[in-house]
Amino acid sequence: MPPPPPGGGRGGAGRCAAAAYPHHVSYCHCGDCRRASGAPVSAFVGFLAGQVAFTGKALKMFENGPVTRSFCGICGSPIAYVDERLEDDIYFMLGAMDMPADFKPTLHAYVSEQLPFLHISDDLPRHLKTSVKRPDGTIQ
């Protein structure tokens, strides 16, 4: 099976590619992701960090607590985030992928923070908070 399609910012200055398919694809309704993306909901594609490579020198970082978000320093496109509590993972913005339709979300996270006017009609599981297990085995 070929590797998944790569991704990057709008201008192409920063690119990413994964050597394996993602282990996690989800919607996130939390306020932090909303502010970082500028959208009412975000969608992420999660990979093991060791399976991802970046090219280009335009990537910039912004830290907020345990989360570090990356974005293109030239066009401003949000690219990915890492969470120090999930040290082996990296989550790319679904919209930063070259072929976003290849990555169908499988769940909703942080629906406790979902905007009241936003309705996504699907039968996907909905988690009040995170959907990703922390290293101690909990989902908080």
Side-chain angles (χ1 to χ4, degrees), residues 52-131:
V52 175
F54 288 96
T55 57
K57 297 183 186 250
L59 211 57
K60 302 290 183 189
M61 307 292 185
F62 176 77
E63 293 183 28
N64 183 23
V67 175
T68 300
R69 296 184 185 275
S70 59
F71 60 96
C72 177
I74 294 173
C75 72
S77 295
I79 305 292
Y81 83 89
V82 293
D83 184 325
E84 68 185 26
R85 298 165 294 186
L86 305 168
E87 61 188 37
D88 295 330
D89 297 333
I90 185 166
Y91 295 87
F92 287 91
M93 300 294 297
L94 181 85
M97 306 308 289
D98 288 353
M99 304 287 288
D102 287 359
F103 304 99
K104 185 177 177 184
T106 60
L107 57 89
H108 294 262
Y110 287 94
V111 295
S112 60
E113 298 181 37
Q114 183 173 335
L115 294 173
F117 60 80
L118 181 67
H119 302 284
I120 299 176
S121 299
D122 60 36
D123 293 326
L124 298 178
R126 284 165 161 72
H127 299 266
L128 291 176
K129 296 283 183 184
T130 186
S131 59

